[in-house]
Amino acid sequence: MKTEYVRIYKSVHTWVGIVSGMALFIAFYAGALNIFKEPLNRWAAPPIQERRLIPLADTQDLITKTLTSSPSAEKGFLVYLEDAEHIPARMAWRVRGPGDGEDNASAPITHVASLDQQGKAQVEAFQGNRLASFIDHLHRVVGLPVDNDMNRWVMGVFATLYALALISGLVILLPSLAKDLFALRIGKNLKRMWLDTHNVVGVLSLPFHIVIAVTAVVFAYHDPIYALQDKTIHAGAKPADDQRGRAAAKAAVRRDPAEMLSPVALVDKVKAFSPTFEPAFMQYRRVAEASAEVRVWGKDAAGIMPRPRGGFVSLDPYSGKITSSDRMPGRQDGPALIIHSLFALHMGAFGGVAVQWMYFLLGLAGAWLFYSGNLLWVESRCVKPFRGASGSDAPPLQRRHVQLMANACVGVCLGSVCGISLSIVSAKWLHAHVENMAAGHQWVYYGMFFAALAWSFWRGAARAAVHLLCLAAAFTLAIPASSLLGWLLPGLGLWAHGSAASLSVDAVGLVGGMCFAWLALATRQRVLFGPSHSIWSVKSIA
């Protein structure tokens, strides 16, 4: 390959990485944590009263009595089949506002229902646990405050740039790939060591990154793609007959929810249909209408699951007849299987716990890949020291744009790490003091994020990196510390769960906090005693 072409690709790789690197760091770091969404929800869920989790056999009685006292639940509600820390009650639903869809089974719930000691339906408002959904929000819109179509399109732009960076980076390495791939040169030349590590991580995880880049672009633009497909393939045709049929069904005689089959009977029919399917919860829709439907969500280790929570099979809740299995793991048709495979590849929804841990580590490695790429850009543009007449090293004056990029990289990347850890901790500390935890997580995260960014620009990248790594260590260690305090001093209003899922969050927080503490010490050594010409030295900004 001609040297000129390699130089062009190197320029593309450099500038595409600089433009998208910090946003992708947030997406990858939050995405790595989001792999374990259920353990995070279980860790953050406050203890519930035992009376809420009535026996599954009594659920049909609960449904009938609740729908009589709260007709708003007829549009849709959930019935949980499992007992766990994050399950608020056997029956729950969301009161939807204008424009809200009815298909989102993971939408935050607002009401829960149970039976009191007299057997009457007891409906309560429920704040809900928003921790995992907030981290998912940061992942899907690269840290932007609002999750809407426009911001998802912005994420799609970054994903496209990300794909360009992958291709150009691979082209740069091709001429010397065999020689340099495993040549990890560890020594005093830290820049060379970082570059070697950056290249090794990038090449070895390339298949993972290609999958993430392609699927992220599809997820960002799937609505415009569907709209274009409707206009070009279907010529904007509307299924008029189907619409008229559904309108007539809605106008039909009202159905009595008391005549529905019990959840236990419906689950038995699903198990008979697919013995390896493991139901987790049921999503009821329009139960008083002729088009009533119940979706039984669950997992099947033998099938492709479109999401970490699995897939679903649809039934008529009155007859128990299977109406659709297109989204049931192991039962999809060809086109659905292709789409679900893309979802599964992006979310790590296959292969069980081993693949989840692999995706977690690859996600963290991806975040480090973008962070190290920006640091290499900064380091390669540092002004070297020069010798004065006396022969002594004169303190170098670094270029302004290099200082600003270093400040931004440290502030954005480490600010997001600190903000996420502090937001996780706030799930326990603020629960009893904040009415709206969704807003609480946003205030905590963005307050910490912008404070870290401001601190980095005020104190400089070298000093701020040490300070923010110390904060990241403290906030991350506060995750297991909060659980320990909840166990030792329950009067503080904290809590600790003993399940393996919850304890794993504490364990990862402990290991992560120790890693950040080690990084803070190593960075402090570099800042105080490293080469004076580096922008990561306090001497260069003294």
Side-chain angles (χ1 to χ4, degrees):
M1 183 179 293
K2 292 183 179 179
T3 305
E4 180 184 356
Y5 294 159
V6 175
R7 187 162 48 248
I8 292 173
Y9 276 102
K10 186 174 182 179
S11 179
V12 171
H13 181 77
T14 298
W15 289 106
V16 166
I18 288 298
V19 170
S20 62
M22 287 179 279
L24 290 172
F25 176 93
I26 298 174
F28 268 74
Y29 187 79
L33 299 179
N34 195 51
I35 291 292
F36 295 110
K37 180 182 288 188
E38 182 176 329
L40 281 170
N41 274 334
R42 295 180 69 166
W43 181 89
I48 62 174
Q49 300 177 17
E50 292 297 330
R51 61 181 175 81
R52 286 182 175 174
L53 290 176
I54 64 170
L56 191 59
D58 297 335
T59 307
Q60 182 59 30
D61 185 37
L62 170 65
I63 293 173
T64 303
K65 292 178 178 179
T66 301
L67 294 181
T68 300
S69 61
S70 302
S72 61
E74 289 182 354
K75 295 180 180 179
F77 58 88
L78 303 176
V79 168
Y80 293 98
L81 305 174
E82 301 175 325
D83 295 349
E85 303 96 326
H86 65 304
I87 303 300
R90 194 62 71 191
M91 179 179 177
W93 68 94
R94 175 190 179 199
V95 177
R96 297 177 173 83
D100 287 345
E102 62 178 354
D103 293 334
N104 189 1
S106 62
I109 61 177
T110 59
H111 291 76
V112 296
S114 186
L115 296 175
D116 61 19
Q117 294 181 351
Q118 288 74 38
K120 296 181 180 179
Q122 185 175 10
V123 176
E124 302 174 40
F126 184 71
Q127 181 182 162
N129 177 13
R130 309 296 175 87
L131 174 61
S133 61
F134 175 69
I135 295 176
D136 184 42
H137 154 80
L138 295 176
H139 166 65
R140 283 186 285 110
V141 293
V142 292
L144 297 172
V146 182
D147 183 8
N148 55 22
D149 286 340
M150 183 60 69
N151 286 346
R152 284 190 289 273
W153 296 343
V154 171
M155 183 274 289
V157 172
F158 284 126
T160 304
L161 295 176
Y162 165 37
L164 287 176
L166 292 175
I167 296 170
S168 56
L170 183 61
V171 170
I172 294 169
L173 278 177
L174 281 176
S176 59
L177 184 62
K179 180 181 70 174
D180 293 340
L181 179 58
F182 296 106
L184 184 57
R185 287 158 282 195
I186 300 175
K188 293 184 179 180
N189 190 337
L190 294 180
K191 178 186 173 184
R192 168 58 65 184
M193 184 178 68
W194 275 69
L195 179 60
D196 288 345
T197 311
H198 179 88
N199 292 339
V200 169
V201 172
V203 172
L204 294 183
S205 59
L206 184 62
F208 169 78
H209 286 285
I210 290 175
V211 167
I212 298 299
V214 172
T215 53
V217 172
V218 173
F219 294 162
Y221 298 113
H222 68 274
D223 284 342
I225 290 172
Y226 290 156
L228 180 63
Q229 176 181 319
D230 179 63
K231 289 184 178 180
T232 56
I233 299 178
H234 304 293
K238 302 293 182 181
D241 293 338
D242 181 60
Q243 286 185 345
R244 282 194 294 269
R246 292 189 63 179
K250 288 186 176 182
V253 178
R254 175 184 173 87
R255 303 174 81 174
D256 184 3
E259 298 177 0
M260 292 190 300
L261 295 178
S262 70
V264 174
L266 292 171
V267 167
D268 288 342
K269 289 185 176 294
V270 171
K271 293 291 290 182
F273 180 70
S274 180
T276 57
F277 185 73
E278 296 295 334
F281 66 95
M282 307 170 73
Q283 181 187 9
Y284 287 78
R285 306 169 67 211
R286 305 180 301 274
V287 294
E289 301 176 11
S291 58
E293 175 191 32
V294 59
R295 295 177 173 179
V296 180
W297 288 79
K299 299 180 179 180
D300 189 340
I304 298 295
M305 294 179 289
R307 301 176 187 277
R309 66 174 180 267
F312 65 84
V313 58
S314 297
L315 300 88
D316 183 320
Y318 291 87
S319 66
K321 178 183 177 183
I322 304 290
T323 57
S324 174
S325 59
D326 291 344
R327 298 188 183 183
M328 188 180 193
R331 297 281 182 166
Q332 305 100 321
D333 57 15
L337 185 61
I338 293 173
I339 295 174
H340 293 177
S341 297
L342 291 175
F343 275 85
L345 284 170
H346 186 91
M347 301 177 183
F350 63 96
V353 176
V355 171
Q356 287 184 310
W357 279 106
M358 182 182 72
Y359 266 60
F360 174 74
L361 295 175
L362 285 171
L364 293 181
W368 180 87
L369 194 67
F370 301 116
Y371 185 64
S372 62
N374 281 4
L375 297 193
L376 285 168
W377 185 93
V378 169
E379 188 70 20
S380 65
R381 285 158 179 78
C382 286
V383 176
K384 302 297 186 291
F386 62 91
R387 298 264 177 187
S390 62
S392 60
D393 288 341
L397 181 64
Q398 301 297 343
R399 288 170 288 188
R400 185 66 175 166
H401 73 280
V402 177
Q403 292 182 1
L404 293 177
M405 176 55 71
N407 296 343
C409 182
V410 167
V412 169
C413 296
L414 297 185
S416 67
V417 171
C418 292
I420 289 176
S421 291
L422 188 58
S423 187
I424 293 173
V425 173
S426 72
K428 289 188 176 180
W429 286 92
L430 296 184
H431 172 76
H433 309 287
V434 175
E435 231 177 87
N436 185 349
M437 275 305 298
H441 285 305
Q442 286 196 329
W443 279 104
V444 168
Y445 172 82
Y446 290 109
M448 183 67 247
F449 177 82
F450 287 112
L453 192 59
W455 186 260
S456 183
F457 276 93
W458 182 38
R459 301 296 290 165
R463 293 190 180 97
V466 178
H467 301 158
L468 294 179
L469 281 170
C470 288
L471 276 182
F475 293 152
T476 307
L477 288 172
I479 295 172
S482 298
S483 297
L484 182 62
L485 285 173
W487 180 62
L488 295 175
L489 302 170
L492 292 176
L494 304 176
W495 60 87
H497 297 301
S499 68
S502 295
L503 291 175
S504 67
V505 175
D506 291 320
V508 171
L510 178 62
V511 174
M514 293 172 66
C515 289
F516 286 129
W518 175 78
L519 288 173
L521 290 174
T523 304
R524 182 178 181 275
Q525 288 294 109
R526 173 71 187 273
V527 166
L528 293 178
F529 307 110
S532 62
H533 69 273
S534 172
I535 204 167
W536 308 111
S537 170
V538 291
K539 300 172 187 176
S540 67
I541 56 176

